[in-house]
Amino acid sequence: MNDGPVHGTWEPAPAARWEDGFLSGNGRHGALLFGDPHDERVVVTHHTLVRPNGAEHARPPRLAAELPALQDRLLAGERDAADRFTDGRPLQWVQPFHPAFEIRLRATARAEDTGHRRSVDFTTGVVQAESEDRLSRVFVSRADDVIVHQVTTPDLAVSLDHRLPGVPHGLAVGHGAVLTSEGALLTLRARYPGSDRAYTGVTLVAVTGGRTTLTPPGLRITGADSVLLLTRVLRHTDEPDALAEARALGELLPDGHGDPYGRLLARHTEPHRTAYRRVTLDLGADPVERALPGSELLQRPDSPALLERLFAAGRYHLLSSSGVNPPRLTGLWTGDWDTAWSGAFTNDANINLQTASAACAALPEVTEALAALIHRQLPDWQDNAREIFGTRGVVAPPHSDGESGLTYHFNREYPLHLWTAGADWLLKPLVDHDETRGEQDPRTAHALAQVAEFYEDFLHRTDENGHLVVVPSYSPENRPANAGWGAVNAAMDLSAARHALRTAAAYHPERAQTWHALADRLPPHRTNAEGALAEWAWPGLDDTYDHRHLSHLYGVWPLDEITPYDTPDLAKAAHRALELRGAENDSAHGHLHHALVAARLRDGERVAHALGQVLGGDFFHDSLMSAHYPNRHVYNADAAHTLPAVLIEMLVQSTPDRLVLLPAVPARCPRGELRGIRTRFGAELDLTWSPTEATAVLRPTRTHRVELRTSSGAEQLDLVAGEDHVLRLGAW
């Protein structure tokens, strides 16, 4: 191996589009730097900023009393019966995520910009733009929860501006600007139309040298040595004390002549760098390609250097967007008030894919962010179960804005209120995390019991063979070719119910007998006439193959229900289903979901093809944040955050009792090093491979026997806590 991949990216020209702006974040505040050096902009975001649109008052539909009649009709063969299972409301989107404002920094003396270079350092989270006579540096502190922005230019005009694309009419905005002992204080307060909800941005401007003059709503600085801006955002219904917040920001500045930027950066860097560097990937790329700007590297879709950089960028962006919440559809960033699909947490695929690497790639910060969202909303999930299904326990919503966990986003063509598998899928990363660390989180145990109680009440209809029936059932976001959207025994619902009941039993041994018995009464999966795993196990429901979602293969990934080792016939049927699946509208999440399933089924060629569709489809902006569709259409974090999970799954897979090495390595990755991976049986793993040999070093924290699977077959490994175990593979 050579010196290793560079942990960052750079560009030789300014970002004219906000989508190309480099990103920093601490899981609460976000910063996006773009613009001409003479008119630089930092878009400020905050995870809690969602715009009231009526959804803040929405409730789940009260349909429980009508459920038995619907079940009767569906079981009697009335295939479109679920189309009428609604309270007649129009589709209600969740509250849209939006930016707070942009900090505009206009140079009042316009010198020619020479030697421009902008960059982001993944190890520190510092975004930087520099030229011959100017340096601008931004990071978002994990230690102090503040956006820190230092500019070294003598003459500058500073303002806060909410007028980004799509800003709603009627937003009540007030500006404030006062001189302070440090320099000045700028505030922007915005109240949403027809709402008591508002947010306030506070920016303390600390000026070293020169003169500061108020030019409302902003200020002008002349002759300064440097300017330091500290920014926070508050969301509120009452009247916040902006001066108190200003004093709190002032307390972050050192007394005397210290270096405030350097001190704040040092405090932030330790927790950020520690998390980011836990796992690294080195594919032995050409050093010349590693040195290229990101925009040039993106033009080389077959380059190992591109995979290295996207792996690093994906980890960086995933970590940076996870804190008070996990990543949204846009991560933590947007430069537009009209975010696609409300910038929501979309629970039937997107958030699950984006957080797929959290446990194995040693990012408990991401898992904790997801756990915080789930446990905050669990009472709402209980309301969903009671109002829609008339049961105890919980049902997760298909969409969330981060505030509400209630189900209200549905209509005839997307009857997402019928979907019962969401709680299991959302809890799966939390269970993986518990297995990795060898300790059960009581919050996860509580949530799993709630899911199992839902199934206790919901699963009571049976088929002619005595199997329990999931009715109504929904496979996101597809429908049978010969029936309505709501159907019977979707494969995902069957897999989720089995997994949830058995996992809850493992956390609650005192109730295990009841829940195992219930799981055992669920029907098996069905193989259709094409030899493929059917998306609906109910006889007579035909598959619709050309679709972006792969919900029916939930048993393959993320579950371990269907594997080439334990259930080879089902794995063969699942592989056939994957072969028949079309890409529909080429959504990035569909391609990468396809790759994750293919990796579990040991199909390296299919993994390579799915990766190629994304890498060759112009899905990535110069920022290395991604788009939902080809040709960089619709800013979206799915590809950026999911790609690291794909690269790990093709190299290393684990269960509590199994280790799979190099199951699906594409030809473009003939050699490399993957370090710091966490396994679900409690060992850290480093893997090195070449065309002729591979070496894995396991550092177990638990004494345990596991099965090792390679292309050569299976063998047993006896691991002892605290004793390194070295595996040398002559063939893989």
Side-chain angles (χ1 to χ4, degrees):
M1 290 295 156
N2 48 34
D3 293 336
V6 177
H7 292 282
T9 192
W10 71 282
E11 291 296 327
R17 303 163 63 246
W18 68 260
E19 292 90 343
D20 291 326
F22 288 147
L23 308 170
S24 186
N26 68 352
R28 186 177 296 267
H29 285 91
L32 185 159
L33 179 67
F34 80 110
D36 185 281
H38 301 296
D39 187 7
E40 186 175 76
R41 304 166 184 224
V42 176
V43 178
V44 174
T45 58
H46 195 282
H47 245 321
T48 66
L49 292 186
V50 290
R51 177 162 52 92
N53 65 344
E56 64 274 22
H57 307 301
R59 297 286 304 169
R62 292 187 172 182
L63 297 172
E66 303 172 36
L67 183 64
L70 170 65
Q71 294 172 322
D72 289 341
R73 290 195 297 271
L74 286 169
L75 293 175
E78 191 178 333
R79 293 184 174 178
D80 62 352
D83 291 356
R84 298 180 295 281
F85 188 65
T86 175
D87 60 1
R89 70 179 69 182
L91 182 66
Q92 172 67 68
W93 281 93
V94 303
Q95 298 177 95
F97 176 59
H98 66 84
F101 50 84
E102 61 184 6
I103 305 172
R104 297 193 69 169
L105 304 170
R106 296 182 180 89
T108 54
R110 295 181 64 89
E112 181 181 355
D113 183 61
T114 57
H116 185 87
R117 177 188 173 102
R118 62 188 180 95
S119 62
V120 54
D121 183 340
F122 300 152
T123 64
T124 62
V126 174
V127 176
Q128 182 166 299
E130 58 185 315
S131 54
E132 186 173 331
D133 60 350
R134 187 178 187 277
L135 174 64
S136 179
R137 300 183 288 181
V138 182
F139 68 91
V140 187
S141 173
R142 278 197 169 267
D144 298 303
D145 190 26
V146 64
I147 298 173
V148 181
H149 186 185
Q150 185 187 55
V151 184
T152 56
T153 191
D155 302 304
L156 200 62
V158 183
S159 63
L160 310 183
D161 192 348
H162 68 287
R163 294 170 298 177
L164 291 158
V167 62
H169 296 294
L171 193 69
V173 178
H175 292 271
V178 296
L179 296 177
T180 68
S181 58
E182 298 89 1
L185 177 70
L186 298 179
T187 60
L188 182 151
R189 180 180 177 278
R191 185 169 296 281
Y192 304 104
S195 174
D196 63 348
R197 304 183 184 199
Y199 68 90
T200 296
V202 181
T203 297
L204 181 65
V205 184
V207 182
T208 302
R211 181 184 180 192
T212 302
T213 306
L214 295 183
T215 56
L219 57 93
R220 180 171 179 175
I221 300 164
T222 55
D225 297 322
S226 70
V227 179
L228 182 69
L229 299 92
L230 304 179
T231 300
R232 282 183 180 148
V233 176
L234 312 168
R235 193 165 190 266
H236 53 87
T237 54
D238 55 1
E239 293 298 327
D241 189 341
L243 291 179
E245 188 61 40
R247 286 192 294 272
L249 291 174
E251 291 172 359
L252 298 176
L253 301 174
D255 296 329
H257 300 285
D259 174 15
Y261 177 87
R263 190 181 77 164
L264 289 166
L265 179 60
R267 285 169 50 80
H268 154 76
T269 298
E270 182 178 357
H272 175 89
R273 176 183 282 145
T274 298
Y276 169 77
R277 293 304 298 260
R278 291 187 193 116
V279 169
T280 57
L281 176 67
D282 182 338
L283 295 175
D286 181 346
V288 173
E289 290 194 336
R290 282 178 172 166
L292 291 173
S295 56
E296 290 190 37
L297 198 50
L298 287 168
Q299 303 307 310
R300 305 185 183 203
D302 295 325
S303 168
L306 176 60
L307 283 179
E308 287 178 346
R309 195 172 302 182
L310 290 178
F311 181 89
R315 278 182 55 76
Y316 167 71
H317 289 138
L318 179 58
L319 172 65
S320 300
S321 59
S322 299
V324 65
N325 285 318
R328 298 173 174 274
L329 285 174
T330 59
L332 179 54
W333 305 277
T334 181
D336 194 319
W337 279 77
D338 288 327
T339 44
W341 304 291
S342 287
F345 300 98
T346 305
N347 298 333
D348 64 8
N350 309 75
I351 190 173
N352 319 81
L353 291 161
Q354 289 192 37
T355 59
S357 66
C360 61
L363 284 176
E365 295 84 356
V366 176
T367 307
E368 179 55 37
L370 176 60
L373 177 66
I374 291 171
H375 299 308
R376 203 165 59 234
Q377 297 188 350
L378 212 58
D380 287 351
W381 293 17
Q382 292 173 330
D383 287 351
N384 298 334
R386 182 179 61 253
E387 300 290 355
I388 301 171
F389 298 98
T391 67
R392 298 172 299 151
V394 296
V395 172
H399 295 267
S400 172
D401 50 30
E403 287 190 348
S404 171
L406 296 172
T407 292
Y408 53 79
H409 177 100
F410 65 93
N411 66 3
R412 177 184 177 275
E413 295 181 351
Y414 286 94
L416 292 156
H417 59 307
L418 305 182
W419 185 51
T420 57
D424 185 67
W425 199 354
L426 287 167
L427 288 168
K428 180 64 167 62
L430 277 58
V431 174
D432 289 351
H433 176 67
D434 282 1
E435 291 171 346
T436 298
R437 67 192 185 115
E439 182 180 344
Q440 293 179 346
D441 188 326
R443 298 174 302 170
T444 304
H446 171 67
L448 286 166
Q450 292 282 298
V451 180
E453 287 180 2
F454 163 76
Y455 285 119
E456 278 191 77
D457 292 356
F458 179 59
L459 296 175
H460 57 85
R461 296 298 184 106
T462 57
D463 62 18
E464 60 184 14
N465 298 314
H467 290 126
L468 293 169
V469 177
V470 179
V471 57
S473 187
Y474 178 63
S475 189
E477 297 172 5
N478 203 2
R479 64 179 291 180
N482 59 342
W485 292 89
V488 184
N489 282 356
M492 182 183 198
D493 283 344
L494 295 177
S495 293
R498 263 192 290 266
H499 180 259
L501 287 162
R502 290 171 177 164
T503 307
Y507 277 71
H508 299 276
E510 72 283 0
R511 306 175 73 175
Q513 185 175 356
T514 298
W515 292 339
H516 276 299
L518 202 60
D520 290 344
R521 293 179 60 199
L522 287 161
H525 290 294
R526 178 172 68 91
T527 300
N528 66 20
E530 288 84 13
L533 185 80
E535 191 154 359
W536 294 270
W538 194 250
L541 295 180
D542 295 339
D543 283 81
T544 299
Y545 289 118
D546 189 24
H547 201 271
R548 63 197 178 279
H549 283 257
L550 296 97
S551 306
H552 56 317
L553 299 180
Y554 181 65
V556 179
W557 183 92
L559 303 187
D560 313 304
E561 179 190 29
I562 300 172
T563 75
Y565 324 108
D566 304 318
T567 58
D569 291 341
L570 275 178
K572 182 179 178 181
H575 191 269
R576 180 60 179 152
L578 197 62
E579 289 178 330
L580 293 171
R581 202 64 164 189
E584 194 190 1
N585 59 12
D586 281 313
S587 297
H589 69 80
H591 288 305
L592 294 183
H593 196 168
H594 193 116
L596 287 164
V597 174
R600 289 284 175 95
L601 296 174
R602 304 187 70 97
D603 188 340
E605 290 185 7
R606 192 163 288 277
V607 172
H609 176 76
L611 281 174
Q613 294 298 106
V614 173
L615 299 178
D618 195 18
F619 276 91
F620 284 89
H621 303 286
D622 292 353
S623 58
L624 303 189
M625 181 48 70
S626 51
H628 190 272
Y629 298 114
N631 303 313
R632 290 171 288 161
H633 181 52
V634 184
Y635 193 81
N636 175 273
D638 289 345
H641 290 166
T642 307
L643 190 136
V646 172
L647 299 184
I648 292 170
E649 285 277 343
M650 72 187 195
L651 299 170
V652 177
Q653 298 165 17
S654 70
T655 75
D657 299 297
R658 176 178 288 140
L659 173 64
V660 184
L661 292 180
L662 299 159
V665 186
R668 71 171 68 184
C669 303
R671 67 187 74 250
E673 295 179 359
L674 178 65
R675 297 190 175 276
I677 291 300
R678 271 54 168 179
T679 66
R680 289 164 56 198
F681 51 81
E684 187 175 325
L685 182 146
D686 295 339
L687 176 67
T688 305
W689 74 99
S690 73
T692 58
E693 61 182 358
T695 301
V697 179
L698 289 161
R699 291 181 287 278
T701 58
R702 303 197 292 273
T703 298
H704 193 52
R705 170 172 286 187
V706 300
E707 179 187 69
L708 171 66
R709 285 278 181 173
T710 66
S711 61
S712 301
E715 63 179 275
Q716 298 297 314
L717 298 179
D718 289 309
L719 303 177
V720 178
E723 295 183 8
D724 288 3
H725 194 106
V726 180
L727 301 172
R728 303 189 192 281
L729 310 176
W732 50 267

